Amino acid sequence: MTSEWKTPDVVLIGFDDATPLLMKPEALRAKAEKDGFLYFRQRLPADLLLTLRSQILDILGAHGWLDAGQPRDLGVVNAAAAAESDRRDESMKYIGITAEAYMEIQRLELLHRIPHHPNLLAIYATLFQAPVLPHPRHIARVLVPSPRLAPTPPHQDYIHIQGTHSFWTCWFPLGDCPMDLGGLAMLRGSHREGVLDVAEAEGAGGRETILCGKDHYAWLRDDYACGDIITFPSHLVHKGTPNRLKDRVRLSLDVRYQSRNEPICFESLLPHTHAYGQEWDDIYRHWQANDLQYYWKSWNLQVEGKDDYWARHVKEKIC
C-alpha cells in the first residue's frame, strides 16, 4: 500500500466511428460489449445543436457571462463577471454557472426535444432490443474556465443515477469541441469491472471512482465535431478533461436512455434543477408544443428509490 493516488496514465487519441455498424446490430452490440462505449460521427444535425447553442449563449449574455466586446457565437467569457460569481455562488461548483441562469437554460424546449431525435432513439432500440425510455432529466454542462471549477473526475454514472444498471448515457457538445476545449475521455473496457468504490473529489458529482490496480486500461479521447456523439453504459469509467482555452465556454448535453422494461430511479423523472425549486410546470410554461410534456406518465414504469450506499461508503484515496 502507498499513499500515492494512482490512475491509468496511458492516453490514446482517436475514436472509431460506429455508424457503419448500425446496419449490423449484432456487431454493434459486440463492439459495445468489447469497448464499453460507442462513438458516432455526425449523428445529430449540426444546425439543430447550433440553434440550442445560440439560445444558451443568449441566456449567458443576458446574465453577464459573456464578453460583450466579442462576437457572441465564440462564447468568450466575461472573466470579471465569472470570477465574481465564482466567489459568491456556491451552486457554481456543481452546475458551472449560477442557479438562476441554469434554471433559465432548463426552460429551453429544444434542450428537451433534441434527446428524442430519431437518430438517437434508433441507437438504443438496437442496443436494448426493447422499447426505449429517454430519461426526462437532461443535464446541460456549461463549463466556464475558472481555477476553482475542477473538471468532472473519473466516475461511473450508475452511483449517481441508479435504477437499472443497464441505462446508457449519451454526451454531445453544442458546437465543435477540440481537445483543448475539454470533452469526455473514456476508460476503454472498464465497464466490465462492475461498480467500483468511490472517494470524495472536486468537480461535478463530488465523487470519483477509485482506480487502484486498473492501470491495464487506457484512456481514449479525441476532438468532437458538432453533431458527433459518444454513448456508454452505466459502469463505464469516464471523465471530463480540462478546458484549456481560458476565455471560452464549453457547452454540452448529458442525456440518458434505458429500456422501458427496466426500473428507473424516481430522481431521473425530476428536473435537474429540482434541488433549486424548479418543477416541470415552470419548465413547460412557455413551450410551443406539449407532445413531450410528461411523456413518461403514459407508460407503466417501475419506479424505485435511491440507495445512499455510496454517500455512506466513501473511501480514502489510498492504493
Side-chain angles (χ1 to χ4, degrees), residues 123-163:
I123 294 170
Y124 302 102
T126 301
L127 290 174
F128 303 150
Q129 299 179 277
V132 178
L133 167 60
H135 289 199
R137 186 187 185 101
H138 310 314
I139 301 176
R141 302 290 184 191
V142 184
L143 189 60
V144 175
S146 166
R148 183 169 174 249
L149 301 178
T152 302
H155 68 285
Q156 297 171 304
D157 280 354
Y158 179 76
I159 68 167
H160 301 293
I161 308 301
Q162 300 188 33

Side-chain angles (χ1 to χ4, degrees), residues 283-299:
I283 288 173
Y284 295 152
R285 185 166 295 125
H286 299 294
W287 282 24
Q288 298 299 306
N290 60 13
D291 57 313
L292 294 180
Q293 296 181 18
Y294 297 109
Y295 62 89
W296 62 93
K297 290 191 173 183
S298 64
W299 299 326

Side-chain angles (χ1 to χ4, degrees), residues 1 7 18 39 52 132 145 159 195 213:
M1 301 282 286
T7 62
Y39 164 78
L52 178 57
V132 178
I159 68 167
V195 181

Side-chain angles (χ1 to χ4, degrees), residues 149-312:
L149 301 178
T152 302
H155 68 285
Q156 297 171 304
D157 280 354
Y158 179 76
I159 68 167
H160 301 293
I161 308 301
Q162 300 188 33
T164 178
H165 286 262
S166 301
F167 74 80
W168 279 60
T169 295
C170 180
W171 181 93
F172 49 91
L174 302 176
D176 291 340
C177 185
M179 284 187 282
D180 281 349
L181 190 58
L184 286 195
M186 308 285 116
L187 194 60
R188 183 172 59 188
S190 59
H191 61 301
R192 292 190 290 272
E193 294 287 340
V195 181
L196 298 169
D197 290 334
V198 298
E200 289 186 359
E202 296 182 350
R207 299 283 186 270
E208 67 178 301
T209 298
I210 295 177
L211 293 174
C212 302
K214 309 302 180 190
D215 52 0
H216 53 291
Y217 294 115
W219 289 105
L220 267 72
R221 59 180 305 198
D222 206 343
D223 297 320
Y224 296 87
C226 187
D228 295 352
I229 73 162
I230 197 158
T231 186
F232 45 90
S234 71
H235 294 177
L236 193 279
V237 179
H238 57 288
K239 65 179 179 179
T241 58
N243 181 351
R244 302 189 186 282
L245 299 181
K246 301 301 185 182
D247 63 345
R248 305 294 175 90
V249 64
R250 193 208 78 195
L251 303 176
S252 62
L253 252 60
D254 291 7
V255 184
R256 293 180 174 90
Y257 300 87
Q258 66 172 77
S259 164
R260 291 186 213 168
N261 302 327
E262 300 283 345
I264 185 170
C265 180
F266 76 96
E267 286 191 2
S268 294
L269 301 175
L270 300 175
H272 189 229
T273 43
H274 177 76
Y276 302 112
Q278 189 174 46
E279 304 296 344
W280 287 119
D281 282 351
D282 175 58
I283 288 173
Y284 295 152
R285 185 166 295 125
H286 299 294
W287 282 24
Q288 298 299 306
N290 60 13
D291 57 313
L292 294 180
Q293 296 181 18
Y294 297 109
Y295 62 89
W296 62 93
K297 290 191 173 183
S298 64
W299 299 326
N300 184 25
L301 301 179
Q302 180 184 343
V303 181
E304 58 182 36
K306 193 167 188 177
D307 188 345
D308 67 352
Y309 174 88
W310 291 276
R312 293 183 287 106

Side-chain angles (χ1 to χ4, degrees), residues 25-154:
E26 291 185 6
L28 184 74
R29 291 189 286 268
K31 183 171 181 59
E33 175 57 30
K34 176 177 177 288
D35 292 344
F37 69 91
L38 296 168
Y39 164 78
F40 296 91
R41 184 174 292 118
Q42 298 297 283
R43 187 63 185 166
L44 287 172
D47 59 346
L48 195 65
L49 302 181
L50 292 176
T51 298
L52 178 57
R53 173 184 173 84
S54 180
Q55 293 174 356
I56 293 176
L57 290 176
D58 280 345
I59 293 171
L60 295 179
H63 285 264
W65 286 93
L66 300 183
D67 185 338
Q70 298 289 336
R72 189 212 55 175
D73 289 349
L74 292 179
V76 177
V77 174
N78 180 337
E84 174 59 27
S85 294
D86 196 2
R87 284 192 293 270
R88 63 179 170 79
D89 197 312
E90 189 69 12
S91 70
M92 281 192 62
K93 291 197 303 184
Y94 307 103
I95 55 178
I97 53 174
T98 55
E100 181 184 19
Y102 187 64
M103 286 193 288
E104 191 168 342
I105 289 171
Q106 279 288 328
R107 295 186 187 103
L108 294 172
E109 183 174 352
L110 191 55
L111 184 149
H112 298 271
R113 189 162 294 278
I114 288 174
H116 293 261
H117 195 283
N119 285 0
L120 295 179
L121 297 179
I123 294 170
Y124 302 102
T126 301
L127 290 174
F128 303 150
Q129 299 179 277
V132 178
L133 167 60
H135 289 199
R137 186 187 185 101
H138 310 314
I139 301 176
R141 302 290 184 191
V142 184
L143 189 60
V144 175
S146 166
R148 183 169 174 249
L149 301 178
T152 302

